[in-house]
Amino acid sequence: METENEMTGGAVVRPVLEGARQDSARANGAAFEGFVRSGATMEMKAFTGVTGDSGGFTVPTEIDAVIDRTLASISPIRGIANVVKVGSAGYRKLVTTGGTPSGWAAETDAPGQTATPVFAEIAPPMGELYANPAASQTMLDDAAFDVEAWLADEIATEFARAEGAAFVAGSGVNRPRGFLQSPVAAALDGVRAFGTLQYLATGTAGDFGDHPDERLIDLVQSLRSPYRQGASFVMNAGTLARIRKLKTANGAFLWAPSLDASTPATLLGYPVVEAADMPDIDANSVSVAFGNFRAGYLIAERTETQILRDPYSNKPYVNFYATKRVGGCVSNSEAIKLLKFAAA
């Protein structure tokens, strides 16, 4: 009888699962769901039916087939940023700074030469996010729920959490560079160096000061009008809770709750994105961002998350090796403004 190696020409076939597929090997035919998102290493212990907390609790048949879990806070920067698909890790983008110079001339005047536009190159730092959980074949066969689909969902959730954190505060070393890791200065647009974000100080360390509504209005108006179309606030839940309690001098709330589920609540007329990875209000913290992130932050990702189901390398375990290559950085430093809770 031919062996598996002989039938495949000596090579062991290991299917790479990309996106989503139907797992015909399982009796229930569960969908192996789509995965992804980026950031850092995820560690999961090997599942077995021998020890309780490593998977054994799931083996008895008298068990609820749906596993409850605590929901992780995921930063939704991907939803407001500019996301591009790339073919390699060497992605580059050119940006003109200041536009193309122009001039005026009379009808009979010979036009003079104008200055050459200035270009800046954007190269988002990229890194590979991976997860490599394992489950024993007995666990896959006997568990009262679809272990493979559950692992796929866990990987997707962890990838989303990790990349969300990187888009806000990533170091740029083997991962995206978060917008809070960009250099900052109080100088206005046209004066700051390209790639440096402008911050506005509240005037009080760790607080909004005497007129918090004025500080927020100054932040909004510091963003030039072309970028205010499509702009949004970004802050965490703690900062948002404080801002929702703020009132103007005549007693009106700055926060405008939504009367329709399809319409988001607004702050000074702009939507608020709640990002768990933004810092809490503290002395010299940068806890509120306002800007057009579609124009200001670039996410570059290499195809979809890939998952290799590997039952051969670590018998009797089945490894699920998932990878995702993603990068990110500020692409237009004039499109994002920061509120710094500092005296100056």
Side-chain angles (χ1 to χ4, degrees), residues 164-242:
F167 295 152
V168 173
S171 65
V173 179
N174 297 324
R175 68 193 64 197
R177 181 185 298 114
F179 63 88
L180 290 186
Q181 293 299 312
S182 299
V184 298
L188 301 175
D189 293 347
V191 179
R192 303 186 316 277
F194 180 80
T196 300
L197 298 182
Q198 180 186 2
Y199 75 85
L200 281 75
T202 61
T204 304
D207 203 353
F208 282 98
D210 295 333
H211 302 285
D213 55 331
E214 296 181 7
R215 301 291 79 76
L216 292 172
I217 291 173
D218 290 341
L219 179 66
V220 169
Q221 295 306 128
S222 68
L223 189 69
R224 290 190 286 121
S225 58
Y227 298 121
R228 286 201 297 270
Q229 309 302 317
S232 57
F233 286 94
V234 177
M235 64 190 75
N236 68 17
T239 304
L240 180 56
R242 291 188 60 174

Side-chain angles (χ1 to χ4, degrees), residues 2-13 312:
E2 290 181 312
T3 65
E4 181 180 4
N5 283 359
E6 291 171 344
M7 290 186 290
T8 58
V12 178
V13 179
Y312 307 102

Side-chain angles (χ1 to χ4, degrees), residues 212-214 216-217 243-248 252-256 266-269:
D213 55 331
E214 296 181 7
L216 292 172
I217 291 173
I243 288 180
R244 291 187 63 175
K245 302 170 187 176
L246 297 179
K247 297 180 181 180
T248 61
F253 283 99
L254 299 179
W255 176 267
T266 59
L267 175 62
L268 299 177

Side-chain angles (χ1 to χ4, degrees), residues 47-60:
F47 292 95
T48 69
V50 179
T51 58
D53 57 358
S54 295
F57 291 137
T58 68
V59 175

Side-chain angles (χ1 to χ4, degrees), residues 33-166:
E33 306 186 6
F35 332 66
V36 14
R37 305 310 173 239
S38 160
T41 303
M42 170 180 133
E43 295 183 1
M44 299 185 70
K45 299 298 183 181
F47 292 95
T48 69
V50 179
T51 58
D53 57 358
S54 295
F57 291 137
T58 68
V59 175
T61 57
E62 297 299 326
I63 187 173
D64 191 340
V66 178
I67 295 181
D68 291 333
R69 70 177 181 192
T70 57
L71 296 178
S73 296
I74 299 174
S75 293
I77 301 301
R78 171 180 285 270
I80 59 175
N82 178 25
V83 182
V84 298
K85 300 289 186 180
V86 299
S88 68
Y91 178 76
R92 297 290 187 272
K93 179 180 178 67
L94 291 179
V95 179
T96 58
T97 60
T100 302
S102 60
W104 293 93
E107 180 180 358
T108 58
D109 289 346
Q113 180 177 338
T114 58
T116 302
V118 178
F119 288 90
E121 184 182 63
I122 302 297
M126 300 190 72
E128 186 167 283
L129 174 65
Y130 74 93
N132 191 26
S136 69
Q137 187 59 56
T138 301
M139 176 72 178
L140 297 177
D141 294 338
D142 296 348
F145 64 97
D146 189 343
V147 178
E148 295 190 31
W150 172 74
L151 282 174
D153 188 52
E154 288 290 301
I155 290 171
T157 301
E158 171 59 20
F159 277 17
R161 184 208 62 77
E163 73 164 13

